[in-house]
Amino acid sequence: MLRAMTTERGTRRRAPAGAAVLREDVTDAIRAAVFEELAAVGFARMSIEGIARRAGVGKTAVYRRWKSKLALVLDLVAAVAAQGMPAPATGSLYGDVRAVLELAAYALRHPVASQVIPDLLVEAARNPEISEAIKAALLDQQQGVAAVVVREAVARGELPEGSDPDRALDLIVGPLYWRLVVVRGELPQGYLDDLAASAVAALRHPG
């Protein structure tokens, strides 16, 4: 997950004559340091100085790439969104739901993500720019996956026509997010299997 978060996006361009060339290894080190710093102290207390110190670079190296810590965090969130979450293709509704839960559980239990995501959601309530970035990174891509899962299930005859992807997303990921992010509880053995079966049953009987 961290590797995906710290991957450069887009194609390389030749630097204009006389322009400073930004070393990719330094950029990657800064990006990794941002997630570590967010997990350690949160967005409100995070500073360019702390990021630079953790990355083993000077503040100038950070400012040459991003003008502020907000710009840096927004760029990283956008990079996560660009990576995307693949839609499962197991051939059954239960299999697809179970696969979504497996991926979501892995992401939410990641030691860095488990600290960073809740903190950024708190900041999103205060900052519209962070709110939009989080929406693109977390909600929009998951809505896209849920739409594919529902569409394929309808095509196979496993769900009725008109099934709501947003409701599917709530039923599939909502309980898992509550358990891992809000309650911060462990997942008992077989929990994801039971949750997948419950979500499928609820989707098949919306009334």
Side-chain angles (χ1 to χ4, degrees):
M1 183 177 180
L2 278 179
R3 180 172 295 180
M5 288 178 173
T6 57
T7 299
E8 287 282 358
R9 294 180 297 135
T11 58
R12 296 184 184 179
R13 297 179 180 177
R14 185 181 298 276
V21 177
L22 301 180
R23 289 172 46 188
E24 288 190 19
D25 60 329
V26 173
T27 301
D28 290 344
I30 294 171
R31 287 183 167 183
V34 172
F35 286 104
E36 294 170 4
E37 192 76 358
L38 277 171
V41 303
F43 178 82
R45 295 175 58 195
M46 186 179 76
S47 66
I48 296 297
E49 291 82 356
I51 294 168
R53 182 169 56 251
R54 193 179 289 271
V57 301
K59 290 191 299 181
T60 303
V62 181
Y63 281 118
R64 285 173 63 194
R65 291 161 172 82
W66 298 277
K67 63 182 181 180
S68 66
K69 72 175 186 179
L70 176 59
L72 175 49
V73 169
L74 292 177
D75 177 65
L76 294 184
V77 171
V80 174
Q83 294 298 316
M85 175 178 167
T90 66
S92 72
L93 177 59
Y94 174 84
D96 287 352
V97 169
R98 181 64 176 75
V100 169
L101 286 171
E102 187 73 35
L103 287 172
Y106 175 80
L108 292 174
R109 284 187 290 189
H110 189 284
V112 174
S114 64
Q115 298 295 326
V116 170
I117 292 174
D119 183 68
L120 287 181
L121 289 175
V122 171
E123 293 299 328
R126 308 186 187 104
N127 190 309
E129 289 182 276
I130 294 180
S131 178
E132 286 300 313
I134 292 295
K135 180 177 180 295
L138 299 181
L139 180 59
D140 290 354
Q141 72 169 239
Q142 291 188 15
Q143 283 179 324
V145 171
V148 172
V149 169
V150 169
R151 183 177 68 243
E152 294 300 316
V154 170
R156 290 191 299 263
E158 293 185 88
L159 288 180
E161 292 284 348
S163 293
D164 184 3
D166 286 342
R167 179 173 179 270
L169 184 60
D170 290 346
L171 290 170
I172 296 168
V173 182
L176 183 65
Y177 184 87
W178 175 265
R179 180 87 179 216
L180 291 178
V181 178
V182 180
V183 178
R184 293 187 175 273
E186 296 296 325
L187 299 185
Q189 185 174 2
Y191 178 84
L192 295 182
D193 296 330
D194 293 342
L195 184 56
S198 297
V200 169
L203 288 170
R204 286 175 172 165
H205 303 285

